[in-house]
Amino acid sequence: MELMIGSHVREHGDRVGRLAGFELEPAPLRIRRIIFSPDGELGPQTAMRPLSHITLVHEDGELELRPNPDTPPLPAIPDVALLSRAVRLRRGDRERGRVVGVDVNPADRTVTAVFGRHHWWSRRFSMPSSGLDCSTPGEIKTGASGTQAA
């Protein structure tokens, strides 16, 4: 399922905001929660829901959340990373762009790809999750670029 930052989020049939980011477990690359707010920005007005609360992702990217789900609380973990528009994507030592979304396997909540964009007018690109390094706050790194000087 593709989750794009800025997509509308609905709960109880009403729009409650726009997707602002994700809570990520860096080691297994697993999404814990989605973060949304009325204006789609991070701040004091944000709300979070576990990924399991998403019932449907429409063709236009709009998310439907389950009303009053009966899910147990998520277990505590030692480390969580925040994925938002501010997170830089790097390949080797070069910046490729910023995060605009993720592709998630809903069965086990693992990230299969991260989507980025260099500028708002440029095309979206995809980075497969194999080889992603989320150990640096505010950055996602992948292996060295494909070309090297002799």
Side-chain angles (χ1 to χ4, degrees), residues 4-146:
M4 304 303 290
I5 295 174
S7 297
H8 287 284
V9 178
R10 288 182 171 273
E11 193 170 38
H12 304 288
D14 298 321
R15 282 190 177 164
V16 292
R18 290 184 174 269
L19 192 60
F22 312 95
E23 243 186 30
L24 174 78
E25 297 174 24
L29 286 178
R30 203 171 322 154
I31 299 291
R32 286 177 61 83
R33 295 182 180 103
I34 61 167
I35 304 168
F36 58 94
S37 67
D39 59 359
E41 300 294 328
L42 296 175
Q45 72 282 11
T46 59
M48 292 194 231
R49 300 288 187 277
L51 190 66
S52 61
H53 286 206
I54 298 175
T55 57
L56 179 65
V57 178
H58 294 276
E59 287 183 24
D60 63 353
E62 189 171 60
L63 306 174
E64 292 278 344
L65 299 180
R66 228 181 257 166
N68 304 322
D70 294 329
T71 55
L74 293 171
I77 60 167
D79 193 19
V80 173
L82 178 66
L83 288 184
S84 70
R85 288 184 187 152
V87 174
R88 286 175 257 128
L89 297 172
R90 295 176 105 29
R91 173 165 283 155
D93 59 349
R94 302 190 73 185
E95 186 172 324
R96 296 256 344 252
R98 304 280 177 154
V99 171
V100 295
V102 294
D103 190 25
V104 179
N105 179 352
D108 61 358
R109 300 180 296 131
T110 57
V111 174
T112 58
V114 175
F115 301 116
R117 187 171 273 157
H118 190 64
H119 297 287
W120 67 270
W121 63 84
S122 64
R123 296 189 95 174
R124 182 178 83 181
F125 63 88
S126 165
M127 295 172 70
S129 64
S130 59
L132 290 182
D133 174 18
C134 301
S135 61
T136 306
E139 283 186 352
I140 297 177
K141 298 178 190 175
T142 188
S145 61

